[in-house]
Amino acid sequence: MNNSLTIRAFNERFAVLLPVRAIWVLLALVAAIAIVVIWSLMTGSYPLTVTQVIEILRNAPDGKTGTTIVWEFRFPRAVVSVMVGALLALSGATLQNVTRNPLADPSLVGVSQGASFAVVFLTILMPEVGYYYRPLYAFGGALAVAALIQWISVRKTDGATMRFILTGVGVAAFISAGTSAMLTYGDIDRAMTALAWLAGSVHTSNWSDVWITSVCFALLLPVLLWASRPMAAMRMGPDAATGLGVNVKWGRIGLITLSVALAAIAVSAVGPLGFVGLIAPHVTRRLVHAGVGLHLAITAAVGGLLVASADLIGRAAFAPVQIPAGIITAVVGVPIFIWLILRQNEKGEL
Amino acid sequence: MATANTNLRLAGESSRALMCIGAIIFFFALHISVGAKHIPLANVFDAFLSYDAKVFDHIVIWDLRLPRAIIALVVGACLAVSGALMQGVTRNALADPGLLGLLSGASFAVVIGYYFFGSTVMPFLPMLASAGALVAACLVWWIATAAPGGARPLTLILSGAAVTAFLAAIISGVQLLDQDNFQNLRVWLTGSISGSRFEVLYWCTPWLIGSSAITLYVARQVTSLAMGDEVAVGLGVNVAKIKMLVLLAVVGLTSCAVALAGPMGFIGLVIPHVVRLFVGTDYARVVPYSALVGAAYLLLVDIVARMALAPVEISTGLVTSLLGAPFFVWLVKAKL
């Protein structure tokens, strides 16, 4: 085949077939992310030029206002938004592959709500608990809710997607009522902090967010790579997956837990950014056809690009007023979601 | 024989109706009697029968407790009836003004109105809320019918969820720009009943009367619509006209409820199901009973919301969601 590249290593024990087009797409996306990041480093109430930004990034000259602004405020923010986008996109892709449901999104099936509930609980009722425990709490809350939805919606005969989604909607309403109760009756200042966080905002991101997120990301990435093979099998349905030697029950549980963990880290850092996990895998599917591994990499890049651009737009479009990235992703994501509803196939198997 | 049967049925009917009305009166009095200051039921009845401006309890009842109880009554009835009408017309057991986006459309319009005009917008609340609810309802209905397979429960609820998410994002954006708005409306946005909004009830009255008249007129035809459009056409019902009227009634009722008490979820879902268990599927009976049971239910829920964590009050809308969401999940599990 001309349009793909084969890499063989370790005496033919390791071989990958890489479609050239997919690699080009990936490179283009990475370049686009770099451009958006540099652009967002330039934009703001203290504008900088490209050369200044590159100079600051390379040498970090001491004592200049630009250095402080870029290194303390804009750069961590840009890095966090790219990473969070990648995490959410991977979470959405995993969820869609496992549930075989193109409408699955962490915010639709209660994962974001569970994580939000845990974090709002922490922010309002136990402000003395350290900031570093946020991902842990978010993960706990998200996992509990995801398990609850699975447990309610699973029946022996089939894993009907419809019941799964509707149960998610119901459970999400229940959890959101709890979250609003805390927002309504908590101390107004803490509630305002929690509200800003809930709108999905990266503006408070600092280097400790970058560290927490990247450490968690680094821990989960190998797991995800290892899981990409069973995921590829499960995408073809439970019967085919069983035939290919995958333990479907445990594969399902493991992959959903993984997806929940990815979303929970992202949510704990910047709040529930809706619809990124929904859109990114679809955009990727339109762009290229690739194997699961490369597909995941491109999905992550698309997600990073989406959130970084959403943040840039939110900051720049109505300056000096800042619109949280989560509001931008929802406003962009909902029409896409509706479009997906409109073109699902008729069988009810979404 | 036939007369005897009719008599028996009438007797059953009237005893059911009397039971509902009795429950409403009981909860209404209880609602007035409980609170930060407990007022004995005897005093409550006294305040109505022989009002005395010198008795402190009587002033509390007439100025504070009674308006709140009336609002709870009206809101409960409005939401339950609009839920019943929607379930009948969409032939969907999961229809509810909240799930199908009407509540968020109405509250979106109110938040935006408040943002631009401040509290001077109060007299126009019902109108604004109606416009928002109407647009949201049409949007959700259009998306669901345009989807392949038509307006099935899943597509309706997904499009409702999508529209709700979209509007919620804009609402939180507006509230972040304007902290006063957040401060003033955050409790209202969770659905809360308070007697201080009693003046809104006056502005809602024309809408309430109009929607109730339409509701009474269409209730009987909704039964045939619930059997399917073809059956309804066969029975000589003008389907398009009835659907349009139902839409108007639902929008009017929902927006009054939102203007009075904010978006209050799941009442319209729960009550008609409960009512149908007792009176069957004839909407000429389901609709009035939904109004009665909905009013009694919201009075009860409001009592719970005020008493559960006293002296702190919980938003009534949060309690209805906490009770209604598990019911929704159960419906999904049992019926689909």
Side-chain angles (χ1 to χ4, degrees):
Chain A
M1 281 199 278
N2 305 329
N3 56 352
S4 53
L5 185 75
T6 315
I7 299 175
R8 292 171 199 277
F10 303 120
N11 201 13
E12 301 273 320
R13 279 171 140 178
F14 174 85
V16 232
L17 186 72
L18 296 173
V20 176
R21 181 178 148 80
I23 294 175
W24 281 116
V25 168
L26 186 57
L27 289 177
L29 283 169
V30 172
I33 290 176
I35 291 171
V36 170
V37 166
I38 288 180
W39 197 348
S40 69
L41 294 184
M42 286 155 53
T43 335
S45 53
Y46 184 88
L48 295 163
T49 63
V50 185
T51 41
Q52 276 172 319
V53 165
I54 291 174
E55 170 67 19
I56 288 168
L57 284 183
R58 284 177 59 203
N59 302 330
D62 280 334
K64 289 241 180 85
T65 328
T67 312
T68 323
I69 286 178
V70 167
W71 281 98
E72 292 303 314
F73 299 108
R74 292 189 191 162
F75 198 44
R77 179 175 178 165
V79 173
V80 165
S81 55
V82 172
M83 271 199 296
V84 161
L87 283 166
L88 286 172
L90 288 174
S91 167
T94 311
L95 207 57
Q96 289 179 8
N97 281 335
V98 176
T99 60
R100 301 182 65 215
N101 172 1
L103 295 181
D105 172 76
S107 65
L108 196 66
V109 296
V111 173
S112 298
Q113 281 83 357
S116 311
F117 180 81
V119 174
V120 170
F121 184 85
L122 203 65
T123 315
I124 290 186
L125 296 183
M126 301 196 289
E128 70 280 358
V129 176
Y131 187 73
Y132 296 94
Y133 292 101
R134 257 189 189 180
L136 218 56
Y137 266 76
F139 178 60
L143 194 63
V145 173
L148 181 69
I149 293 172
Q150 282 285 306
W151 177 67
I152 295 175
S153 65
V154 151
R155 235 186 241 174
K156 277 180 190 123
T157 46
D158 54 56
T161 44
M162 171 153 125
R163 211 178 303 119
F164 178 69
I165 294 181
L166 288 179
T167 310
V169 171
V171 173
F174 185 76
I175 309 271
S176 312
T179 311
S180 344
M182 287 189 291
L183 277 182
T184 318
Y185 300 107
D187 174 65
I188 178 83
D189 289 334
R190 290 183 206 154
M192 206 66 199
T193 317
L195 185 79
W197 175 85
L198 271 179
S201 179
V202 289
H203 74 266
T204 51
S205 305
N206 49 33
W207 284 110
S208 63
D209 283 320
V210 175
W211 290 128
I212 299 173
T213 317
S214 43
V215 166
C216 296
F217 203 170
L219 287 176
L220 287 178
L221 204 57
V223 184
L224 192 67
L225 284 178
W226 175 77
S228 67
R229 290 293 157 115
M231 205 193 300
M234 291 189 63
R235 194 159 67 158
M236 289 179 251
D239 297 340
T242 312
L244 289 167
V246 174
N247 184 335
V248 173
K249 189 183 159 208
W250 286 104
R252 196 180 159 85
I253 292 175
L255 284 172
I256 287 182
T257 311
L258 181 62
S259 160
V260 167
L262 289 164
I265 296 163
V267 170
S268 71
V270 302
L273 283 175
F275 297 97
V276 176
L278 178 83
I279 306 168
H282 285 286
V283 172
T284 312
R285 227 166 280 148
R286 313 244 129 214
L287 283 175
V288 283
H289 291 282
V292 168
L294 198 55
H295 187 271
L296 284 179
I298 296 175
T299 308
V302 170
L305 184 61
L306 272 177
V307 176
S309 327
D311 183 40
L312 179 61
I313 294 170
R315 270 172 56 198
F318 300 97
V321 175
Q322 300 210 348
I323 310 284
I327 292 177
I328 308 276
T329 58
V331 169
V332 176
V334 168
I336 297 182
F337 180 62
I338 290 173
W339 178 71
L340 285 171
I341 296 176
L342 291 179
R343 59 178 290 284
Q344 76 200 355
N345 61 32
E346 196 159 334
K347 273 176 60 194
E349 266 300 308
L350 291 165
Chain B
M1 193 61 195
T3 358
N5 253 337
T6 320
N7 281 342
L8 208 63
R9 230 181 43 222
L10 275 179
E13 194 71 65
S14 55
S15 67
R16 264 202 300 255
L18 282 177
M19 227 162 66
C20 290
I21 293 170
I24 290 181
I25 293 175
F26 175 70
F27 286 135
F28 194 79
L30 194 65
H31 187 278
I32 290 175
S33 104
V34 300
K37 177 180 189 305
H38 179 76
I39 300 174
L41 278 178
N43 283 13
V44 175
F45 289 114
D46 264 2
F48 287 106
L49 300 175
S50 54
Y51 176 71
D52 184 352
K54 290 190 208 71
V55 182
F56 182 62
D57 276 2
H58 290 191
I59 300 172
V60 170
I61 288 173
W62 277 93
D63 289 356
L64 300 173
R65 301 270 173 93
L66 185 63
R68 181 167 181 161
I70 292 177
I71 289 180
L73 192 90
V74 172
V75 169
C78 282
L79 288 173
V81 168
S82 52
L85 290 176
M86 288 168 87
Q87 288 174 13
V89 170
T90 62
R91 306 181 60 210
N92 171 4
L94 299 178
D96 166 81
L99 288 166
L100 299 194
L102 273 82
L103 291 183
S104 49
S107 26
F108 171 76
V110 170
V111 169
I112 296 294
Y114 215 87
Y115 177 68
F116 283 114
F117 306 111
S119 49
T120 55
V121 82
M122 292 293 268
F124 306 104
L125 276 188
M127 208 191 302
L128 265 179
S130 303
L134 183 66
V135 172
C138 292
L139 197 61
V140 168
W141 183 250
W142 174 76
I143 295 169
T145 42
R152 291 173 294 129
L154 180 67
T155 38
L156 270 171
I157 286 188
L158 280 181
S159 27
V163 170
T164 303
F166 188 75
L167 296 176
I170 302 180
I171 288 179
S172 51
V174 169
Q175 297 210 313
L176 280 171
L177 297 183
D178 181 2
Q179 190 160 1
D180 281 349
N181 191 310
F182 176 57
Q183 178 76 284
N184 289 334
L185 293 181
R186 69 171 178 162
V187 176
W188 176 82
L189 266 179
T190 58
S192 73
I193 301 174
S194 108
S196 64
R197 296 179 73 82
F198 197 68
E199 49 183 330
V200 180
L201 190 59
Y202 298 127
W203 297 316
C204 285
T205 313
W207 300 81
L208 281 173
I209 294 173
S211 325
S212 313
I214 300 178
T215 306
L216 288 177
Y217 173 69
V218 295
R220 192 171 289 279
Q221 277 96 323
V222 171
T223 314
S224 36
L225 274 184
M227 292 187 260
D229 286 4
E230 290 87 356
V231 178
V233 171
L235 290 170
V237 173
N238 184 344
V239 174
K241 183 181 134 200
I242 296 297
K243 279 188 174 172
M244 195 57 72
L245 285 175
V246 166
L247 179 68
L248 284 182
V250 164
V251 164
L253 292 170
T254 306
S255 51
C256 284
V258 171
L260 284 169
M264 208 168 286
F266 293 103
I267 295 178
L269 179 80
V270 177
I271 301 302
H273 280 283
V274 175
V275 167
R276 240 172 276 146
L277 281 182
F278 293 101
V279 306
T281 51
D282 180 3
Y283 277 83
R285 304 234 291 282
V286 170
V287 167
Y289 278 107
S290 291
L292 294 177
V293 177
Y297 175 73
L298 195 55
L299 282 169
L300 181 63
V301 167
D302 198 34
I303 294 172
V304 172
R306 289 192 309 168
M307 296 311 289
L309 297 179
V312 183
E313 278 186 17
I314 316 170
S315 254
T316 317
L318 295 178
V319 180
T320 60
S321 291
L322 289 174
L323 293 171
F327 181 81
F328 172 78
V329 171
W330 173 80
L331 268 184
V332 169
K333 202 169 161 62
K335 300 247 162 140
L336 294 172

